[in-house]
Amino acid sequence: MEIGNHYYLKGNVVTDKTIYRNMFIEIKGGKIVFAGKKREEERRELPCYQAEGWICPGFIDTHIHGINGFDFMMGTKEGFYRIQDGLPSFGVTGFLSTSRTASLDDIKTFLLLNKQVAKEERTGAHLLGVHLEGPWVNPKYKGAQKAEYMTVPAIKDVEALVNEAAGILRIITLAPEILGNEVIQFLHDKKVAVSAGHTDASFEDIQKAVPFGLSRITHCFNAMGPISHRDLTAAFAALYLQHLQCEIIADGFHVNSKMIELLYRIKGADHLTLISDCTGTNQLPDGCHHIGGKMVYKKDGKVALENGKLAGSSLTLDKAFQFAVQHCGIPMEDAVQMASFNPASVCGVNDRKGRIAIGYDADLVILSNELEVENTIILGKFVF
């Protein structure tokens, strides 16, 4: 849609865990320069786009491996661009490209590609950094990750990889019981968010790691010990330790909707982040596919290995948002916080993204009353 560089949006706005009815948002030069109620006669004569549904901050996906048959670790700019350009159709305006467990050489290639793309100006979703999922995780809970690349590193190996990332590393998923708190402290000091995932950590392991910088749980309840009333695991720590930020794959396969609702009741919206964990299978038909270096089987939206273990998801963030609202008892305004501001915070951009407020980037998604993506705006431009 061509509407110019300076215009208004009008409609019902959802931001900061609040719904604001009949609001104006003035956008100029890619920024929000006014947000509030304003009488028609006080407005300058500018184009005005009327939204019939909901105007929200753009969604940010902090755990995504790919979409539409492409994977970030394919190692090509063309594949990367296809993902970047496709994400706005799902309401996503920013993302962390996410690796999988692989050789250190392959991970370094992945980091190099991200550094190259980060320097480019493109019209697709913003690359906000990198999420390394592995290789320092526990083979006991490998999921669909490759156990042969799971290692116990020396601190110098961690330092080398962080230096290779050159400031674009935002999150690293690791098994704290394997790496130890010295590594967690190092990563925290480098301003990398440390997340426990693919882990056999006990509650005590998690509790001891928190003062050193552990702050997150990767795809909560998945790839970790189950909740038990006797043996307390990382899953219990996610519920018990209020301040831990928990990723949730809200597709009905990875976590039962009632468990998501319980997690929300205990943690509240400020400590939950909706993710897709999409492996690129979202648009693929049911059947067998080779993607991410492995054979996976898709049926009715569920993606699994031959042995039946889940292998990432075919979820997109707009569908995770819809599921959270429609099946998990989460109010829309809280789900928006979980899909926009919370992920913006871990990416270090919550001072300019993740809210609808004066001075913030005009990264927005317009949803229908049925919560379907109608338009996506990035830096003031309608890109979908």
Side-chain angles (χ1 to χ4, degrees):
M1 178 185 297
E2 290 294 334
I3 200 169
N5 188 49
H6 191 187
Y7 62 94
Y8 278 97
L9 297 176
K10 182 181 180 183
N12 297 323
V13 171
V14 187
T15 188
D16 301 333
K17 298 184 291 185
T18 306
I19 294 174
Y20 299 93
R21 303 277 180 179
N22 299 315
M23 300 287 284
F24 288 100
I25 303 170
E26 184 180 352
I27 295 170
K28 183 179 182 181
K31 292 284 188 179
I32 297 169
V33 297
F34 175 81
K37 290 186 178 291
K38 193 180 244 192
R39 290 184 304 175
E40 294 276 353
E41 59 267 29
E42 291 178 341
R43 290 197 296 118
R44 288 189 292 273
E45 291 300 319
L46 290 171
C48 184
Y49 179 83
Q50 173 74 51
E52 301 300 328
W54 307 98
I55 307 171
C56 310
F59 297 155
I60 297 174
D61 199 341
T62 56
H63 190 150
I64 177 169
H65 300 277
I67 56 166
N68 301 342
F70 294 92
D71 182 295
F72 287 119
M73 291 197 74
M74 287 178 172
T76 68
K77 278 192 176 182
E78 177 59 28
F80 202 111
Y81 295 158
R82 294 287 289 272
I83 299 169
Q84 202 171 11
D85 294 340
L87 283 170
S89 66
F90 310 115
V92 175
T93 58
F95 64 96
L96 296 183
S97 63
T98 306
S99 68
R100 59 180 180 272
T101 295
S103 70
L104 289 180
D105 284 344
D106 284 347
I107 292 173
K108 288 176 181 178
T109 299
F110 164 80
L111 291 172
L112 177 61
L113 177 60
N114 276 270
K115 287 188 288 186
Q116 291 172 347
V117 173
K119 296 175 183 177
E120 302 172 356
E121 291 187 11
R122 305 198 70 254
T123 57
H126 298 295
L127 170 62
L128 300 175
V130 163
H131 178 168
L132 288 184
E133 187 178 14
W136 304 315
V137 291
N138 195 320
K140 181 176 178 180
Y141 288 101
K142 64 182 180 181
Q145 305 271 6
K146 292 185 176 181
E148 60 264 34
Y149 297 120
M150 296 178 182
T151 60
V152 181
I155 186 69
K156 63 180 179 62
D157 298 324
V158 180
E159 291 174 350
L161 202 60
V162 171
N163 290 335
E164 188 76 28
I168 64 169
L169 181 56
R170 302 287 176 260
I171 304 174
I172 183 164
T173 291
L174 52 75
E177 75 278 12
I178 287 179
L179 268 78
N181 293 329
E182 179 188 6
V183 172
I184 293 171
Q185 181 73 66
F186 167 77
L187 292 165
H188 177 70
D189 291 345
K190 292 291 185 178
K191 302 190 183 309
V192 177
V194 182
S195 190
H198 294 276
T199 175
D200 194 31
S202 66
F203 168 70
E204 289 76 15
D205 291 329
I206 300 293
Q207 191 174 40
K208 288 176 181 177
V210 165
F212 292 91
L214 182 73
S215 60
R216 304 176 65 82
I217 300 291
T218 296
H219 41 52
C220 192
F221 305 129
N222 295 108
M224 62 189 64
I227 290 178
S228 163
H229 60 291
R230 290 194 179 96
D231 298 320
L232 304 185
T233 64
F236 173 80
L239 289 167
Y240 187 82
L241 300 176
Q242 175 70 25
H243 54 281
L244 286 179
Q245 186 73 207
C246 296
E247 294 181 354
I248 282 291
I249 307 172
D251 62 357
F253 303 122
H254 285 78
V255 186
N256 187 282
S257 62
K258 296 301 181 187
M259 182 58 82
I260 295 175
E261 184 173 357
L262 175 64
L263 184 66
Y264 166 75
R265 289 183 184 183
I266 293 172
K267 305 282 288 190
D270 290 337
H271 299 100
L272 298 178
T273 296
L274 291 172
I275 62 166
S276 71
D277 197 14
C278 188
T279 55
T281 56
N282 55 299
Q283 288 188 349
L284 296 179
D286 283 359
C288 178
H289 304 280
H290 186 271
I291 193 164
K294 57 186 176 292
M295 297 302 298
V296 299
Y297 299 82
K298 183 179 180 183
K299 184 176 181 181
D300 299 328
K302 183 179 179 180
V303 182
L305 301 176
E306 188 174 12
N307 61 12
K309 288 186 177 181
L310 291 170
S313 83
S314 63
L315 186 67
T316 52
L317 203 53
D318 58 327
K319 298 304 179 187
F321 172 81
Q322 291 170 22
F323 188 86
V325 174
Q326 296 168 355
H327 299 283
C328 304
I330 298 176
M332 176 178 61
E333 56 269 32
D334 281 356
V336 167
Q337 188 83 351
M338 294 159 56
S340 58
F341 185 78
N342 294 352
S345 297
V346 75
C347 295
V349 295
N350 60 338
D351 60 340
R352 56 188 174 90
K353 297 182 186 293
R355 298 178 63 216
I356 296 176
I358 294 172
Y360 273 65
D361 291 345
D363 291 353
L364 306 165
V365 57
I366 299 174
L367 304 174
S368 70
N369 287 315
E370 293 74 36
L371 307 184
E372 296 286 344
V373 176
E374 292 190 335
N375 299 104
T376 301
I377 300 169
I378 296 179
L379 293 178
K381 296 180 180 180
F382 281 75
V383 295
F384 175 78

